[in-house]
Amino acid sequence: MSTPRIAVLISGRGSNMMSLIEAAAVPGFPGEIACVISNRPEAHGLVRAQACNIPARAVDHTAFRDAAGKADRAGFDAALDAALEEERIDLVCLAGFMRLLTPAFTRKWAGRMINIHPALLPSFKGLHTHERALAEGVKIHGCTVHFVTPEMDVGPIIMQAAVPVLEGDDADTLGARVLAQEHVIYPAALRLVCEGRARIEGNVVRIDAFELATHALVVPPAG
């Protein structure tokens, strides 16, 4: 089987993008980061990708408007899809890509597109996850890698990591703790997908030959 060609889609600085690039640069990683695409030409992640000798390009979403001047999501997605086809992409990783994709696009890439979300799905879908977690008083927060489906933040879950919510946390400190785990689980989940070990069965991902975590995270500690 040929090595999957991976595109990373970004909108900003590319923090998770860099974790994927660094992981894929290690000999033996079962995938190749073939390109980085941003919907924002000014995204700093494009500069960071180019510094790693990764082809980087922008498909500017603001250039796609209908006759009434409204955002043309279908037109943008068609241009994005054309760029992915031009790069001969097999797998797509959304890494801070701040665009809602159309159902037609997500259906075409079903089973071949994954996303990292800064919460323990199905809790806290959407934006401002850390602020909402603090407002709800949860004791455990985290992040999720999942396959992308037409409905936002709902696709089958591949991998999750949990962190404690500490006394005195604000959105920044909690977000930093979650982000550190995002950088761990996104490359690990991508490896599973590239190796064909993460299989979608219905709405659930089955993973071949993985080791279970042995300790529960209990906050505050019991006993």
Side-chain angles (χ1 to χ4, degrees):
M1 180 179 175
S2 61
T3 300
R5 290 175 57 82
I6 301 158
V8 183
L9 306 190
I10 65 169
S11 293
R13 60 196 172 111
S15 171
N16 272 304
M17 172 201 75
M18 289 303 301
S19 73
L20 298 176
I21 289 175
E22 291 167 3
V26 176
F29 191 86
E32 171 194 0
I33 307 297
C35 72
V36 171
I37 302 175
S38 176
N39 64 304
R40 298 183 181 276
E42 72 279 9
H44 183 59
L46 293 174
V47 176
R48 300 177 77 184
Q50 290 169 339
C52 297
N53 296 315
I54 304 293
R57 60 199 287 184
V59 180
D60 187 353
H61 71 277
T62 65
F64 296 86
R65 301 285 175 181
D66 62 19
K70 295 182 179 180
D72 179 9
R73 292 189 179 276
F76 169 76
D77 282 7
L80 178 59
D81 182 65
L84 295 172
E85 293 289 356
E86 182 180 328
E87 297 288 349
R88 298 177 287 111
I89 296 303
D90 301 301
L91 295 172
V92 177
C93 292
L94 308 184
F97 187 64
M98 305 303 290
R99 297 292 298 171
L100 289 176
L101 297 165
T102 59
F105 185 93
T106 56
R107 281 194 294 267
K108 175 177 178 178
W109 289 92
R112 298 186 294 151
M113 182 161 55
I114 63 177
N115 180 52
I116 181 85
H117 181 72
L120 291 171
L121 293 176
S123 297
F124 306 119
K125 302 170 187 174
L127 302 175
H128 309 300
T129 59
H130 310 314
E131 292 88 344
R132 289 157 59 203
L134 290 168
E136 292 291 340
V138 301
K139 303 305 181 187
I140 295 171
H141 190 41
C143 49
T144 303
V145 182
H146 65 98
F147 283 103
V148 176
T149 60
E151 188 175 354
M152 183 182 69
D153 299 334
V154 171
I157 292 169
I158 304 167
M159 187 175 289
Q160 293 182 301
V163 302
V165 179
L166 304 180
E167 289 293 330
D169 263 338
D170 58 22
D172 290 336
T173 58
L174 180 56
R177 197 174 307 118
V178 172
L179 184 62
Q181 295 306 309
E182 292 179 40
H183 294 168
V184 172
I185 70 168
Y186 208 1
L190 178 58
R191 173 182 285 275
L192 292 174
V193 174
C194 287
E195 292 175 341
R197 292 170 56 201
R199 299 172 288 102
I200 302 174
E201 295 182 3
N203 294 321
V204 175
V205 174
R206 304 296 182 190
I207 299 174
D208 297 330
F210 73 100
E211 184 176 345
L212 289 171
T214 56
H215 300 289
L217 175 60
V218 179
V219 181

